Amino acid sequence: MPRVRLQDVAEHAGVSTKTVSNVVNDYPHVTPEMRARVLASIAELGYRPNATARRLATGRTGTLALAVSDVSIPYFAELARTVARQAAARGYRLLLEQTGDSIEAERSMLLGRESGLVDGLIFQPSRLETAELARYTLHAPMVLIGENAAPDSVDNVMIDNVRAARRVTDHLVGLGCRRIGFVGHEAGGISETSRQRLEGLHAALRDAGVPVLPELEIATSAIGAAQAEEAVGAALDAGIEVDGFFCRDDLSALGTLRALRVRGVAVPDDVAVVGWDDVAWAPFVQPTLTSVRPNTERLAQIALDLLEERIAGESGPGRHLIVEHSLVVRESAPASRPR
Amino acid sequence: MPRVRLQDVAEHAGVSTKTVSNVVNDYPHVTPEMRARVLASIAELGYRPNATARRLATGRTGTLALAVSDVSIPYFAELARTVARQAAARGYRLLLEQTGDSIEAERSMLLGRESGLVDGLIFQPSRLETAELARYTLHAPMVLIGENAAPDSVDNVMIDNVRAARRVTDHLVGLGCRRIGFVGHEAGGISETSRQRLEGLHAALRDAGVPVLPELEIATSAIGAAQAEEAVGAALDAGIEVDGFFCRDDLSALGTLRALRVRGVAVPDDVAVVGWDDVAWAPFVQPTLTSVRPNTERLAQIALDLLEERIAGESGPGRHLIVEHSLVVRESAPASRPR
DNA sequence: TTGAAAGCGCTAACAG
DNA sequence: CTGTTAGCGCTTTCAA
């Protein structure tokens, strides 16, 4: 790791630092001979500009941060892939922050003990609430994603959870389900995400004249297939009667499918199951999973658009944008079912 | 975003910048009164140290990079989670780089057009070969992970692929399989990872006196369940005769399971299936998947240990370390099978 | 224990 | 079109 500075190149080439800088930054107005001479010196000395010094001088870091609770959750993994790719295409690097579902971690990530670390932040809160969020002085522009009710002052992009949840419910009701269970909301303090999905479920049931049965709502200790399998299994063993399960996410659906299978309950004949996120493996499990698919590419694109505007200085009130979703119908809750 | 500098705090508190710096960095030798006065000013002005300036002055970035082809591949997602977590515990942030399976991207990531971006790099190559890797002058210390044969000069941590593959093969042979197919090596240019797994398969078959049948090796156009389903489906439709499938990774196994299911082939009764990586959903699919489980926590820990030693100045020859693995036996290739 | 001043490596006015 | 020079905000000798 040789330590060659811009100035070394300048001396070697017999020009000023400004000229070298111009060449490195592809500025126009440099004679071809100068440029060639400088490039030759750069190659000979193996010069690489120092990112830190450049940042200090320009005030831009060329880096964005993405903060989610856990990248290994399939939806977040796919989101990270998409955001990283699109950010790279726009010339940004991506810093990954995991809050691990802890409100403390979310706070300290927002407060950021240092400034000038990133140019902007894309954040999917899982525990922090609007009111608190609105109080903070951020160290960089931020765009919120996901279904948390964002404060009016902050940009936010999400899918319409209530509407999507209504659609899931309508689909199940259309299949003849009258006792629809819900799986996967947090046992210890429900998240805004789960709250909105439950709200959509309830609203659609009421509209359809189907009774709302809170006793069929099965909370889990954490997001995950194992937790869902355990909770659903316990409920089934306790004699719960359902003919459909609306799962908070595909991971819960996976656990639910297994709990049902182990007990010999047929899907979709006895119980229909719908998941949420339409992760990569949804079309491959047995039975293939009906699921809500958010348009993640578009979500990432809009989030980055909003963020770049903020970085460029936009200072208006927070914009709250909705990204489309669709319901991908597969075997676990097909278009229609023999009765 | 107020712009408060260290100097502003110093003036406000009526002390020198050095004193403020001492307080911010928790240096000893500061009188309690001074410290209190400075902290009060910091709070009042809302001062946050500027990360970039600090980096330039100290030469440390406090950031590591993790480079993999695609974070949404379940194994990489889990690896990223683990590395990010452990890096955070050691006081580092994590920059995520995706090479998207392109050799160009891997090259430019190594060459790094800027220096001083990160203190170190953890890299899982998928296309780049040892010889080329060894030629580069890196801009930061690097540790290689995964099964690529690393150059002697570079640190590397991996699992013993050949041994694990032999174990998988022995397991299948023990189950009575005599025509074992392999699924998921790259159709266009095999990777070192796949090569080693095939090598283990062949060696174990020879040792067991079972014929090696290359015609049962099914390449795929890319890593993924869909690609595997397509390739395996085509092979089955063409009349391939197998009694076991050794899949390059769990994604291939998932596609293989589906291809078999769709065609009414019973797993494990007609065909046993083994995957690799033991990703989170392996115990939940139908049938549950037998898979090779690398010790990812340990892999990450060792990689970070090696990297921190390099960052600290260690300059000896490359160390090549092996991390343990295990074979997790589940329904798709159980301990024994009725014959 | 605290203060003054010299960089860290680069960019960007401003001249020339 | 190219050179000079003054910062960017922090850390860190070296004195006091």
Side-chain angles (χ1 to χ4, degrees):
Chain A
M1 270 146 287
R3 208 165 217 70
V4 186
R5 294 163 311 151
L6 185 85
Q7 205 177 119
D8 300 325
V9 176
E11 284 167 13
H12 182 100
V15 299
S16 80
T17 60
K18 172 61 177 162
T19 301
V20 179
S21 178
N22 283 344
V23 171
V24 170
N25 293 294
D26 273 336
Y27 278 5
H29 314 312
V30 186
T31 49
E33 314 127 45
M34 276 273 99
R35 151 170 268 102
R37 186 138 59 101
V38 171
L39 286 176
S41 294
I42 287 178
E44 187 172 337
L45 299 178
Y47 168 71
R48 297 212 190 92
N50 179 303
T52 305
R54 188 176 261 175
R55 288 177 176 192
L56 186 57
T58 61
R60 290 192 66 254
T61 68
T63 304
L64 302 179
L66 173 68
V68 295
S69 65
D70 179 346
V71 255
S72 77
I73 291 178
Y75 173 68
F76 290 141
E78 294 178 16
L79 181 69
R81 188 258 314 267
T82 306
V83 171
R85 217 178 243 174
Q86 292 190 18
R90 294 174 190 228
Y92 289 98
R93 289 168 223 94
L94 193 71
L95 203 59
L96 183 66
E97 305 259 8
Q98 291 186 117
T99 57
D101 216 36
S102 127
I103 195 166
E104 283 311 327
E106 294 193 348
R107 272 191 199 116
S108 76
M109 124 109 291
L110 282 184
L111 262 22
R113 304 161 348 75
E114 292 184 316
S115 71
L117 200 54
V118 295
D119 293 333
L121 165 67
I122 297 181
F123 176 33
Q124 165 121 15
S126 57
R127 305 235 85 104
L128 226 42
E129 291 182 7
T130 305
E132 183 171 351
L133 219 40
R135 274 206 305 279
Y136 294 141
T137 306
L138 302 169
H139 58 286
M142 171 175 78
V143 170
L144 252 30
I145 56 177
E147 23 289 333
N148 280 267
D152 292 340
S153 53
V154 180
D155 290 337
N156 178 264
V157 38
M158 61 195 144
I159 75 167
D160 186 337
N161 272 256
V162 177
R163 198 155 74 79
R166 294 183 76 122
R167 188 148 164 200
V168 168
T169 310
D170 289 345
H171 182 73
L172 287 170
V173 169
L175 236 34
C177 301
R178 289 301 174 269
R179 297 182 60 83
I180 301 176
F182 185 91
V183 180
H185 48 298
E186 300 77 1
I190 195 168
S191 67
E192 179 63 20
T193 299
S194 303
R195 201 197 58 65
Q196 291 186 19
R197 295 180 189 176
L198 277 165
E199 178 186 329
L201 166 67
H202 296 165
L205 288 178
R206 272 192 296 268
D207 287 359
V210 176
V212 174
L213 304 169
E215 64 270 29
L216 303 185
E217 292 165 11
I218 306 175
T220 57
S221 57
I223 291 180
Q227 290 80 356
E229 181 183 357
E230 188 188 330
V232 171
L236 290 171
D237 292 342
I240 193 176
E241 282 185 33
V242 296
D243 50 16
F245 271 122
F246 174 175
C247 302
R248 193 208 109 107
D249 50 63
D250 286 350
L251 241 22
S252 313
L254 188 62
T256 299
L257 285 179
R258 180 157 166 77
L260 292 167
R261 183 194 319 136
V262 165
R263 288 165 183 77
V265 180
V267 176
D269 296 342
D270 299 333
V271 176
V273 174
V274 180
W276 192 298
D277 287 338
D278 191 35
V279 301
W281 41 256
F284 292 93
V285 295
Q286 158 75 327
T288 57
L289 189 62
T290 292
S291 190
V292 172
R293 179 204 304 228
N295 189 334
T296 309
E297 283 290 343
R298 189 114 179 81
L299 181 87
Q301 185 213 315
I302 293 178
L304 288 170
D305 283 347
L306 294 177
L307 198 51
E308 284 200 283
E309 287 174 31
R310 291 291 176 191
I311 292 171
E314 163 72 41
S315 62
R319 293 151 301 173
H320 292 197
L321 268 46
I322 297 289
V323 159
E324 61 271 34
H325 65 266
S326 52
L327 180 66
V328 184
V329 177
R330 301 201 185 86
E331 297 164 358
S332 71
S336 65
R337 193 164 55 163
R339 269 279 122 190
Chain B
M1 269 148 286
R3 207 164 218 71
V4 185
R5 294 162 312 151
L6 185 76
Q7 204 178 118
D8 300 324
V9 176
E11 283 167 14
H12 182 99
V15 300
S16 82
T17 60
K18 170 63 175 159
T19 303
V20 179
S21 177
N22 282 345
V23 171
V24 170
N25 293 294
D26 273 336
Y27 278 4
H29 312 314
V30 186
T31 49
E33 314 127 44
M34 277 272 99
R35 152 171 266 103
R37 188 138 58 102
V38 171
L39 285 177
S41 295
I42 286 178
E44 188 171 337
L45 299 179
Y47 169 71
R48 298 212 189 93
N50 179 303
T52 305
R54 188 176 261 175
R55 289 176 176 192
L56 185 57
T58 61
R60 290 192 66 253
T61 68
T63 304
L64 302 179
L66 172 68
V68 296
S69 65
D70 179 345
V71 255
S72 76
I73 291 178
Y75 173 68
F76 290 141
E78 294 177 16
L79 181 69
R81 188 257 315 267
T82 306
V83 171
R85 217 180 242 172
Q86 292 190 18
R90 294 173 190 229
Y92 288 99
R93 290 168 222 91
L94 193 72
L95 204 59
L96 182 67
E97 305 258 8
Q98 292 186 116
T99 56
D101 215 36
S102 127
I103 195 166
E104 283 311 326
E106 293 193 347
R107 271 190 199 117
S108 76
M109 123 110 293
L110 282 184
L111 262 21
R113 307 162 345 78
E114 292 185 316
S115 71
L117 199 55
V118 295
D119 293 332
L121 166 66
I122 296 181
F123 176 33
Q124 165 121 15
S126 57
R127 304 236 86 104
L128 227 41
E129 292 182 7
T130 306
E132 182 172 351
L133 219 39
R135 273 204 306 278
Y136 294 142
T137 306
L138 302 170
H139 58 286
M142 171 175 78
V143 171
L144 252 29
I145 56 178
E147 23 289 333
N148 280 267
D152 292 340
S153 53
V154 180
D155 291 337
N156 178 265
V157 38
M158 61 196 144
I159 75 167
D160 186 337
N161 272 257
V162 177
R163 199 156 74 79
R166 294 183 77 119
R167 189 146 163 202
V168 168
T169 310
D170 289 345
H171 182 73
L172 287 170
V173 169
L175 235 33
C177 299
R178 289 299 173 271
R179 299 181 59 81
I180 301 176
F182 186 91
V183 180
H185 48 298
E186 300 77 1
I190 195 167
S191 67
E192 179 63 19
T193 300
S194 302
R195 202 198 57 67
Q196 291 186 20
R197 295 180 189 175
L198 277 164
E199 178 185 330
L201 166 67
H202 295 164
L205 287 177
R206 273 192 296 269
D207 287 359
V210 176
V212 174
L213 304 169
E215 64 270 30
L216 303 185
E217 292 165 9
I218 305 174
T220 58
S221 57
I223 291 180
Q227 290 80 356
E229 181 184 356
E230 189 188 330
V232 171
L236 291 171
D237 292 341
I240 194 177
E241 282 185 35
V242 296
D243 50 16
F245 271 122
F246 174 175
C247 301
R248 192 208 110 108
D249 50 62
D250 286 350
L251 240 22
S252 312
L254 187 63
T256 299
L257 285 179
R258 181 157 165 78
L260 292 167
R261 184 193 318 135
V262 165
R263 288 166 182 76
V265 180
V267 177
D269 296 341
D270 298 334
V271 176
V273 174
V274 180
W276 193 299
D277 288 338
D278 191 34
V279 301
W281 40 258
F284 292 93
V285 295
Q286 156 76 326
T288 57
L289 189 62
T290 292
S291 189
V292 172
R293 178 203 305 229
N295 189 334
T296 309
E297 283 290 343
R298 188 116 181 79
L299 181 87
Q301 185 212 314
I302 293 179
L304 288 170
D305 283 348
L306 294 177
L307 198 51
E308 283 200 284
E309 287 173 30
R310 291 291 176 190
I311 292 171
E314 163 73 40
S315 62
R319 294 152 300 174
H320 291 196
L321 269 45
I322 297 288
V323 160
E324 62 271 35
H325 66 266
S326 53
L327 180 67
V328 183
V329 176
R330 302 201 185 86
E331 297 164 358
S332 72
S336 66
R337 193 164 55 163
R339 271 277 124 192

